[in-house]
C-alpha cells in the first residue's frame, strides 16, 4: 500500500475544510476559534482510503493571508495538492499566493477543484474555467486537471476521488524509506498519562518504536515510546505517512514548530545556508544585498539576512546565488525547498532550493565560490560529497562527518564514496572506527609537498636516513590525526612515492651519504670504542678532530641504525660485538650461579664499577637480568 499526502490550498472561504469533510467524514478544524470564525487558522489533518487501496493523508492548510506561515508548514511532504477555487468567485489574491508558494516548494502534482458549482450556472462555470486556464498558463499548474464539485451537495466527489486515485497510483513517486528518517515537527503537545506528543509528516526513512532519535536543533536525544498513524498504534511508520509520536526525555516546552526529529549525529545545526533563490515574476520587490527576510522551510520560520553572492540585486523573475544568514539555528538537508517573504509588510517574494546546508561564511563576487555553487546546483549527491572531501584536504573527512554534513545516511555516503573511488577521485582509508576519504587533488598536493620537503631535508642532512615521521607530520600535516597519518605514509610507500627506514622517511632514490667525511668520522668512533673495550668512553669525551657535533651525531646514529654499535647509556656507546660477548658471559654465569653482582661483572670484564653498572642496566633492559633486593644484585629474568 502506497502512503500519500494530499494537501489543500486556496483562498479563505472557498470551501477547503468542507471539501475535506465531504471526502473523509471528518472536520479538520481542531480549535474552537476556527469553528466559531469559520476559518482554518492552524493545520488540520485527517485521511481517507482510495479505491485502489492506497491511503491518503490529507492536510487542510489555512487560506487567510495572516496564516501563510502555517500554510507553508503544511506543504511539507505533500505528494499532491488540491487547489480549491470557488466557482462563484474565481481566483483570488490568496489563491495566487498559495500557487506561488506551492511552485516554489516544488509541488508538481495538482488538481484544480472548482468548488461550489451548485451556486452558479453552466455558462458562469465555463467562464471561470477559462479565466483559471489563462491565469495558470506558464505555471506548474497549467496542465492540472480541473474537477467540478460541490462539497455541500456531494456533486462530483466520486469523479474527484477517481482522479486522485489515478494520479496517486500512476504519477506520485513513492518516498525513500531506506534513507535517514526526518520528521519536521508541526505540533507538540502534552497528553495526560503519556507525556510529550509530536505530529508531522515523515518525509523520509522509517521510524520504529524504541528507536533513539535526536531533536534538532535543540540537540536532545529522545526515545520513541509509541507511534500512531491515522489514530492506530503502529510498531513503525514510513516516509509519506502523517504520524503522531510519543517521546520520552523531552518536554513539550523544549519543542517548537520547526524542530526536526532524525537520528543522532545525522544532521548538523547551522545558521548559514547557501541557496539558489528565485524571485517571483509577480513580486513587487527587488531583492537587494542584506535584505531582512522571513525564511520558511519544512515547518520552520526564521528571520534572516540575504547576502547576494553573484549579483547586486535580484528583480522579479530573476534568480541568483545567495547566502542566507539566519537569526536562529536550523537543521536541513541539501535539496530542501524554501520560501522567503519580505520582512515588512509580509508578502511572498520568492524561494528556491538549499545547495549547501553547512557552509562557511562567503564573500561576494568570488568566482570560485560561484563555480562551486553551480556544481552543487547541477550535480548529484556524489558530486556534492566530492566537493566536501575536497574541502577537507588538510584534515581528511570521515564517512560519518559527510553523512552529518549532507544529512544522507551512512550507506548512501558509502555508495557515493565507492563511485568516486572507482573514478579515481578519492582514496579511502578504512580505520577501526570509521572510514576516511581523501581527494585525489589533495593527494597530489600532499605528495608534492612531501617530496619537496624530503629532498630539501636530505640535502641539508646527508648523514641521516631521512626525516623523522613524527617531524614530517608536525611540520607539514599537523591537522591530520597521527593514526590516519600512519595510513597515509603506508599509502605513499605502497605507491613508491617515498621510502621508510624504521621511523625515518626519505625519497625512493635517496641513500645516506658515505663519503670521505663519513669514513673519517665513523672511523674515529669505531677505533675509540674498540680501544676502550669495556671501559666505556663518554661521547662528550671523544676527540672528533673539529667535526661539527651535528654531523657527528648523524654519523653516530647511522652506526646505531646499522647495528654496528649500541647505546649503553645516554652518554656511553660501544661496539655491538662487545655487548653480545657480555650477554653470553652473563647468561653462562647465571646458569651456574643464580645471582650476579656489579663487583662480579667488574671483575668478569676487567673494568671499573663505573662501566660495570651500565652493563647490568643494559642487561636489565634486554630482560636478561632483573634487580633483586640490593641495588648491586641481579638474578636471571
Amino acid at each position: 500500500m502506497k502512503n500519500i499526502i494530499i494537501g489543500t490550498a486556496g483562498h479563505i472561504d472557498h470551501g477547503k475544510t468542507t471539501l475535506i469533510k465531504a471526502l473523509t467524514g471528518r472536520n479538520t478544524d481542531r480549535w474552537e476559534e476556527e469553528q466559531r470564525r469559520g476559518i482554518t487558522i492552524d493545520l488540520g489533518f485527517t485521511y481517507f482510503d482510495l479505491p485502489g487501496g492506497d491511503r491518503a493523508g490529507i492536510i487542510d492548510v489555512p487560506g487567510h493571508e495572516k496564516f501563510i506561515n502555517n500554510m507553508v508548514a503544511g506543504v511539507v511532504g505533500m505528494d499532491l495538492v488540491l487547489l480549491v477555487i470557488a466557482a462563484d468567485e474565481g481566483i483570488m489574491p490568496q489563491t495566487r499566493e498559495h500557487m506561488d508558494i506551492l511552485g516554489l516548494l516544488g509541488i508538481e502534482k495538482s488538481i484544480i477543484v472548482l468548488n461550489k458549482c451548485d451556486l452558479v450556472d453552466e455558462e458562469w462555470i465555463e467562464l471561470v474555467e477559462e479565466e483559471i486556464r489563462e491565469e495558470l498558463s506558464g505555471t506548474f499548474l497549467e496542465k492540472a486537471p480541473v474537477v467540478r464539485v460541490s462539497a455541500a451537495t456531494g456533486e462530483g466527489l466520486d469523479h474527484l476521488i477517481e482522479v486522485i486515485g489515478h494520479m496517486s497510483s500512476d504519477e506520485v513517486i513513492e518516498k525513500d524509506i531506506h534513507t535517514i528518517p526526518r520528521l519536521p515537527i508541526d505540533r507538540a503537545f502534552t497528553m495526560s498519562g503519556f507525556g510529550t506528543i509530536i505530529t508531522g509528516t515523515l518525509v523520509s526513512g522509517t521510524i520504529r518504536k524504541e528507536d533513539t532519535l535526536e531533536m534538532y536543533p535543540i540537540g536532545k536525544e529522545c526515545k520513541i515510546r509509541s507511534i500512531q498513524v491515522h489514530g492506530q498504534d503502529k510498531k513503525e511508520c514510513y516516509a509519506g505517512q502523517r504520524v503522531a509520536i510519543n517521546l520520552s526525555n523531552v518536554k513539550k516546552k523544549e519543542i517548537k514548530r520547526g524542530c526536526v526529529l532524525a537520528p543522532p549525529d545525522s544532521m548538523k545545526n547551522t545558521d548559514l545556508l547557501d541557496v539558489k533563490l528565485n524571485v517571483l515574476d509577480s513580486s513587487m520587490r527587488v531583492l537587494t544585498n542584506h535584505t531582512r527576510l522571513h525564511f520558511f522551510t519544512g515547518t520552520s520560520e526564521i528571520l534572516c539576512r540575504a547576502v547576494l553572492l553573484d549579483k547586486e540585486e535580484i528583480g522579479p523573475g530573476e534568480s541568483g546565488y545567495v547566502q542566507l544568514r539566519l537569526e536562529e539555528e536550523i537543521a536541513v538537508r541539501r535539496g530542501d525547498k524554501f520560501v522567503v517573504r519580505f520582512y515588512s509588510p509580509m508578502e511572498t517574494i520568492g524561494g528556491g532550493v538549499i545547495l549547501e546546508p553547512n557552509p562557511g561564511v562567503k564573500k561576494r563576487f568570488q568566482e570560485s565560490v560561484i563555480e562551486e555553487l553551480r556544481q552543487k546546483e547541477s550535480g548529484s549527491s556524489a558530486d556534492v560529497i566530492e566537493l566536501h572531501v575536497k574541502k577537507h584536504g588538510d584534515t581528511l573527512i570521515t564517512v560519518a562527518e559527510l553523512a552529518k554534513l549532507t544529512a544522507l545516511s551512512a550507506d548512501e555516503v558509502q555508495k557515493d564514496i565507492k563511485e568516486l573511488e572507482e573514478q579515481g577521485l578519492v582514496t579511502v582509508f578504512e580505520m577501526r572506527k570509521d572510514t576516511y576519504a581523501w581527494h585525489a587533488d589533495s593527494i597530489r598536493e600532499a605528495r608534492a609537498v612531501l617530496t619537496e620537503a624530503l629532498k630539501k631535508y636530505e640535502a641539508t642532512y646527508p648523514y641521516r636516513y631521512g626525516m623523522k615521521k613524527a617531524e614530517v607530520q608536525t611540520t607539514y600535516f599537523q591537522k591530520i590525526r597521527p593514526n590516519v597519518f600512519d595510513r597515509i605514509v603506508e599509502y605513499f610507500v605502497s605507491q613508491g612515492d617515498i621510502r621508510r627506514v624504521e621511523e625515518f622517511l626519505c625519497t625512493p632514490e635517496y641513500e645516506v651519504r658515505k663519503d670521505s667525511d663519513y669514513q673519517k668520522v665513523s672511523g674515529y668512533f669505531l677505533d675509540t670504542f674498540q680501544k676502550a673495550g669495556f671501559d666505556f668512553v663518554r661521547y662528550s669525551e671523544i676527540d672528533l678532530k673539529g667535526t661539527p657535533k651535528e654531523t657527528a651525531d648523524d654519523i653516530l646514529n647511522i652506526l646505531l641504525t646499522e647495528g654496528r654499535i649500541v647505546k649503553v647509556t645516554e652518554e656511553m656507546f660501544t661496539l655491538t660485538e662487545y655487548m653480545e660477548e657480555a650477554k653470553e658471559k652473563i647468561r653462562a654465569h647465571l646458569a651456574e650461579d643464580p645471582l650476579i653482582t656489579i663487583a662480579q661483572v667488574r671483575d668478569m670484564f676487567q673494568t671499573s664499577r663505573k662501566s660495570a653498572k651500565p652493563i647490568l642496566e643494559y642487561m636489565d633492559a634486554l630482560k636478561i637480568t632483573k634487580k633483586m633486593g640490593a641495588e648491586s644484585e641481579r638474578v636471571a629474568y
Side-chain angles (χ1 to χ4, degrees), residues 264-425:
D265 291 325
S266 66
M267 302 178 76
K268 188 174 180 181
N269 292 349
T270 183
D271 57 6
L272 292 173
L273 296 172
D274 289 343
V275 305
K276 178 68 173 289
L277 193 149
N278 309 302
V279 174
L280 291 166
D281 291 336
S282 58
S283 175
M284 304 299 289
R285 305 277 176 184
V286 172
L287 186 64
T288 56
N289 189 50
H290 229 242
T291 300
R292 199 176 191 207
L293 300 168
H294 291 264
F295 169 81
F296 299 87
T297 190
T299 56
S300 301
E301 177 189 358
I302 296 176
L303 289 169
C304 68
R305 296 278 182 183
V307 177
L308 277 55
L309 298 175
D310 63 340
K311 292 181 178 177
E312 289 292 352
E313 59 182 35
I314 305 175
E318 295 178 347
S319 62
Y321 295 119
V322 176
Q323 182 161 85
L324 298 177
R325 298 182 179 172
L326 311 178
E327 296 183 17
E328 298 173 44
E329 285 196 332
I330 194 173
V332 293
R333 178 174 174 168
R334 172 183 175 260
D336 285 352
K337 301 292 177 58
F338 68 90
V339 169
V340 287
R341 306 190 81 211
F342 199 65
Y343 177 66
S344 182
M346 280 271 280
E347 58 187 60
T348 303
I349 62 171
V353 63
I354 295 171
L355 302 179
E356 175 50 62
N358 296 102
V361 174
K362 289 184 169 59
K363 292 182 179 180
R364 304 181 67 202
F365 303 113
Q366 301 287 309
E367 187 53 44
S368 60
V369 167
I370 295 164
E371 178 56 33
E372 179 186 320
L373 292 176
R374 282 196 198 103
Q375 289 180 40
K376 287 183 177 177
E377 181 185 7
S378 61
S380 64
S381 61
D383 295 326
V384 174
I385 292 288
E386 184 197 352
L387 287 170
H388 279 297
V389 174
K390 201 171 186 177
K391 271 187 176 178
H392 290 79
D394 58 345
T395 59
L396 280 70
I397 188 167
T398 67
V399 167
E401 290 169 321
L402 287 167
K404 192 171 182 178
L405 283 171
T406 57
L408 295 168
S409 69
D411 287 344
E412 288 170 314
V413 174
Q414 286 278 21
K415 184 179 176 183
D416 287 340
I417 287 289
K418 185 173 177 58
E419 179 184 327
L420 295 169
E421 191 179 14
E422 288 170 353
Q423 294 172 13
L425 294 170

Side-chain angles (χ1 to χ4, degrees), residues 183-203:
L183 180 68
I185 312 304
D186 50 43
R187 284 181 64 205
F189 55 92
T190 302
M191 185 177 288
S192 179
F194 291 90
T196 304
I197 309 288
I198 57 163
T199 68
T201 302
L202 187 56
V203 295

Side-chain angles (χ1 to χ4, degrees), residues 430-501:
E430 291 186 10
M431 310 296 288
R432 188 164 57 87
K433 290 186 177 179
D434 210 336
T435 298
Y436 285 78
W438 209 17
H439 196 275
D441 290 353
S442 305
I443 292 173
R444 280 190 288 273
E445 186 179 339
R447 183 186 290 115
V449 167
L450 183 56
T451 301
E452 181 64 27
L454 292 178
K455 283 182 177 178
K456 187 176 178 182
Y457 192 90
E458 290 158 4
T460 307
Y461 303 104
Y463 302 117
R464 296 182 185 178
Y465 278 100
M467 196 171 182
K468 283 187 176 178
K469 180 171 71 70
E471 188 180 351
V472 172
Q473 189 194 352
T474 55
T475 306
Y476 300 100
F477 300 93
Q478 62 268 34
K479 292 184 179 179
I480 296 175
R481 294 175 62 177
N483 62 330
V484 179
F485 182 68
D486 287 344
R487 295 296 304 277
I488 288 171
V489 169
E490 289 172 14
Y491 171 77
F492 282 134
V493 169
S494 70
Q495 296 294 304
D497 298 315
I498 61 173
R499 191 160 55 85
R500 181 171 181 170
V501 182

Side-chain angles (χ1 to χ4, degrees), residues 240-251:
Q241 292 182 326
R242 283 290 312 169
V243 300
I245 293 179
N246 181 201
L247 299 174
S248 63
N249 196 42
V250 64
K251 293 186 173 72

Side-chain angles (χ1 to χ4, degrees), residues 3 23 51 112 134 204 220 247 262 277 307 495 535 547 615:
N3 294 285
L23 288 170
I112 311 301
E134 288 177 6
S204 64
K220 194 154 192 178
L247 299 174
L277 193 149
V307 177
Q495 296 294 304
D535 289 323
T547 303
I615 291 173

